[in-house]
Structure formats: C-alpha cells, structure tokens
Amino acid sequence: MLSLDGLEMIAVLVVMGLFIKVLEQFGMFEPVGGEDSVEDDFELSTVCHRPESMDKLQEQTKFTKKELQVLYRGFKNECPSGVVNEENFKTIYSQFFPQGDSSMYAHFLFEAFDTNKNGSVSFEDFVFGLSIILRGTINDRLNWAFNLYDLNKDGCITKEEMMDIMRSIYDMMGKYTYPTMQDDAPREHVESFFQKMDRNKDGVVTIEEFIESCKKDENIMQSMQLFDNVI
C-alpha cells in the first residue's frame, strides 16, 4: 500500500510511473522483427492519420529508429486509426486502477499530450511527450510536469489547480493508500506542497520555484533517474 506521507510529491512522479504501465500495455518492450517492417506500415497502412517519416521523427526526438519502430507497432496495435481520443486514453488508464477512478487524472494527462488541442493524440504527439519524459534532461522533464499541472497554462500553479490534481490522484489511488485517507487529506497535502514549493509565499508556484524545489528533493531526483533508458 501507498503511505500518505509525502503524497504531495507523487503529483510530480506519478506521470512517469504510469508511463511504464502504458508502455507495457502497448507491448512496447517486445523486440522488433525486421527493421523495415514497421516503416512499411508507415507507408501502407490505411489509417486516418499517417505519422511523419521515421527519419524526421528520429531527428525531432531522442529515440533511435528501431525504438520508434517498437513504439509505432505498439501504438498502431492499440490505435489502428493512427490517433487516440480522450475516451480511449481513459480506458487504457482505467485498466490499472479497477478499484479507483482514473478518469480525471487521465483527462489532465491527455490535455498535456494533445498539444494541438484538436481532441486527439497522434503518434507524433505521443512520442514527442514520451521523448521528454524518458530521455529529456531533468529540466525538460520538470518543465513537462509543470505544464501538466498548470491547468490553465498561465505560467503558474495555483492552490485550486493543485487541489484538482490531488483529488484526481486520490480518486485514482485512494483505495490503495494507508492509512485510509480522510476527506480533508487532499487539502492538507496541497498546503504541504505549497509550503515546500511556494518560495516567496505569494500564493502561486512558478516554474522556477517548481524546478528549484524538485531538484532539492532527493526522492524526486532518484525516482526520475529510474526512467532513464526504459526502452
């Protein structure tokens, strides 16, 4: 079970941990057969959305050509149309939290990947985000996490936004916590989060405060390193 002690920091880490589950769901740890087989899929598949060429994606991300082939094969198996909508995205996450409700957290995560705000996540959207989460620098990863939690994208995290995030995490994982959470637990953890992150005590957390605070937390730094070279 997950202790509530320090749960305010899980908001920074949970996105990365869940991606391991998503990669496994997509079958992305299985070896690729032929090096050209998946690239042929890029050209021959009858899909609603065709991704950029392998070479272009390799230039734009930190994945090798073979890694992109593995990722595309898994993505295409789960999303034959070439894109995933929010409902499908939520379904993927719900499989890992059958005793909780992951829909709101999945919504926030989907919004972070849907950079074009068109209601769908393409393979390019997916690998661009994944490249940052798994292969980016510490600053890259923390910037991505900050953007996820800055719900209205105004450059700072408010207590209201963090409360929404915390409630979504409690909804998703609450029944696996110990001791059983109290109704006011999310608010307590938001206050603790701001006590650590809001350096100048102005009621909001900026990207600079967020990155500085995370870098000073050994648990966060150690946990982030676990995701290096996952695939």
Side-chain angles (χ1 to χ4, degrees):
M1 288 191 172
L2 178 68
S3 171
L4 293 184
D5 182 31
L7 184 59
E8 66 275 2
M9 290 304 180
I10 290 178
V12 180
L13 302 174
V14 70
V15 61
M16 299 175 188
L18 288 175
F19 261 97
I20 304 303
K21 297 176 180 290
V22 172
L23 291 175
E24 291 173 347
Q25 171 68 16
F26 281 149
M28 292 177 181
F29 294 123
E30 296 181 3
V32 179
E35 188 153 322
D36 297 327
S37 59
V38 179
E39 191 163 32
D40 290 340
D41 284 347
F42 273 45
E43 300 171 357
L44 301 178
S45 296
T46 304
V47 295
C48 297
H49 175 86
R50 292 188 179 184
E52 300 282 357
S53 69
M54 281 284 195
D55 291 337
K56 188 171 182 179
L57 285 176
Q58 186 176 355
E59 292 175 2
Q60 295 173 332
T61 68
K62 297 184 179 181
F63 294 123
T64 67
K65 192 171 184 178
K66 195 161 189 176
E67 288 168 340
L68 286 168
Q69 290 174 337
V70 175
L71 289 169
Y72 182 66
R73 172 171 289 176
F75 189 90
K76 185 170 173 287
N77 284 342
E78 288 292 320
C79 314
S81 67
V83 296
V84 57
N85 61 31
E86 185 170 342
E87 289 308 308
N88 290 339
F89 201 81
K90 289 179 178 179
T91 298
I92 291 171
Y93 274 92
S94 68
Q95 296 176 44
F96 305 113
F97 301 95
Q99 298 181 44
D101 182 359
S102 62
S103 60
M104 186 53 67
Y105 190 85
H107 165 74
F108 294 141
L109 194 54
F110 182 86
E111 288 285 300
F113 274 94
D114 182 15
T115 54
N116 294 323
K117 304 305 175 189
N118 60 3
S120 63
V121 173
S122 67
F123 179 65
E124 294 95 327
D125 295 331
F126 187 69
V127 294
F128 290 158
L130 204 61
S131 177
I132 293 172
I133 293 169
L134 298 182
R135 298 288 169 82
T137 64
I138 294 296
N139 275 15
D140 290 339
R141 297 177 187 185
L142 292 176
N143 267 288
W144 198 94
F146 181 89
N147 181 67
L148 171 67
Y149 302 129
D150 177 15
L151 300 181
N152 66 358
K153 313 306 178 193
D154 66 349
C156 62
I157 300 173
T158 65
K159 287 187 178 181
E160 290 76 16
E161 287 173 321
M162 205 64 216
M163 179 65 74
D164 288 342
I165 294 295
M166 282 297 171
R167 282 175 176 157
S168 73
I169 293 175
Y170 272 87
D171 287 344
M172 181 171 61
M173 306 181 71
K175 292 186 179 181
Y176 295 98
T177 59
Y178 181 82
T180 304
M181 64 179 179
Q182 303 299 314
D183 291 341
D184 59 350
R187 184 169 299 280
E188 290 178 3
H189 284 289
V190 168
E191 292 299 328
S192 178
F193 180 91
F194 269 76
Q195 194 72 25
K196 294 177 182 179
M197 297 273 183
D198 184 11
R199 299 279 177 170
N200 63 0
K201 308 303 179 187
D202 64 350
V204 298
V205 174
T206 64
I207 182 64
E208 293 80 12
E209 290 173 322
F210 183 80
I211 290 178
E212 180 184 355
S213 299
C214 288
K215 283 185 172 180
K216 289 181 178 179
D217 190 289
E218 291 185 6
N219 291 330
I220 290 179
M221 291 297 97
Q222 290 175 2
S223 297
M224 291 182 74
Q225 292 172 4
L226 296 177
F227 302 101
D228 292 337
N229 302 314
V230 168
I231 62 171

